[in-house]
C-alpha cells in the first residue's frame, strides 16, 4: 500500500517535444524536464518519476495533461491519475503563477 505524504501531488505534461514534471516536496517546488519519449504509459511515468528522484509511493495523486495523456490508466500502484484538459491546465497554471487566489484588491 502506498505511503503518501500529505498533499504530495505530481503534475506531468506529456508534450510533443518535452515531458515536464512539477511537484512540491517539503515546501520546495521541483521541476524536471526530459525529451519526448513516445506515447505515455505506466512504465514511462514510473521512469520519469524515478529520474526526478520522486518515489511513486509518496504521491497522493498524479495530474496529467498533454498529448495522449488519456492513454494512462486510472491509477498506478494505487495512486490516482487525474487527467486535465490541456487548455484548462494552461489557464490554471497561469492563475497559480500570479496567485489569483489572493484577495481581489491585489489582482491586476
Amino acid at each position: 500500500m502506498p505511503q503518501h505524504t500529505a498533499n504530495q501531488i505530481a503534475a506531468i505534461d506529456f508534450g510533443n517535444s518535452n515531458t515536464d514534471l512539477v511537484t512540491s516536496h517539503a515546501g520546495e517546488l521541483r521541476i524536471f524536464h526530459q525529451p519526448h519519449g513516445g506515447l505515455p504509459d505506466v512504465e514511462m511515468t514510473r521512469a520519469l518519476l524515478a529520474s526526478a528522484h520522486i518515489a511513486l509511493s509518496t504521491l497522493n495523486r498524479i495530474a496529467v495533461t498533454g498529448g495522449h495523456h488519456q492513454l494512462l490508466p486510472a491509477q498506478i500502484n494505487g495512486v490516482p491519475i487525474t487527467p486535465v484538459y490541456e487548455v484548462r491546465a494552461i489557464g490554471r497554471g497561469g492563475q497559480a503563477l500570479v496567485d489569483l487566489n489572493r484577495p481581489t484588491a491585489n489582482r491586476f
Side-chain angles (χ1 to χ4, degrees), residues 12 14 40-50 62 72 76:
I12 303 173
F14 294 100
D41 61 16
V42 171
E43 290 310 313
M44 176 190 286
T45 303
R46 284 186 181 133
L48 176 66
L49 292 168
I62 302 171
L72 291 170
I76 299 175

Side-chain angles (χ1 to χ4, degrees), residues 31-101:
I31 301 171
F32 182 81
H33 312 278
Q34 73 177 29
H36 174 73
L39 297 177
D41 61 16
V42 171
E43 290 310 313
M44 176 190 286
T45 303
R46 284 186 181 133
L48 176 66
L49 292 168
S51 293
H53 306 287
I54 298 168
L56 181 61
S57 63
T58 66
L59 298 174
N60 290 346
R61 177 171 311 281
I62 302 171
V64 294
T65 194
H68 303 284
H69 69 275
Q70 67 278 9
L71 296 174
L72 291 170
Q75 63 175 345
I76 299 175
N77 288 30
V79 178
I81 303 296
T82 302
V84 180
Y85 177 60
E86 193 161 11
V87 172
R88 182 176 296 241
I90 292 167
R92 183 61 190 111
Q95 288 176 326
L97 287 173
V98 298
D99 192 19
L100 289 181
N101 291 323

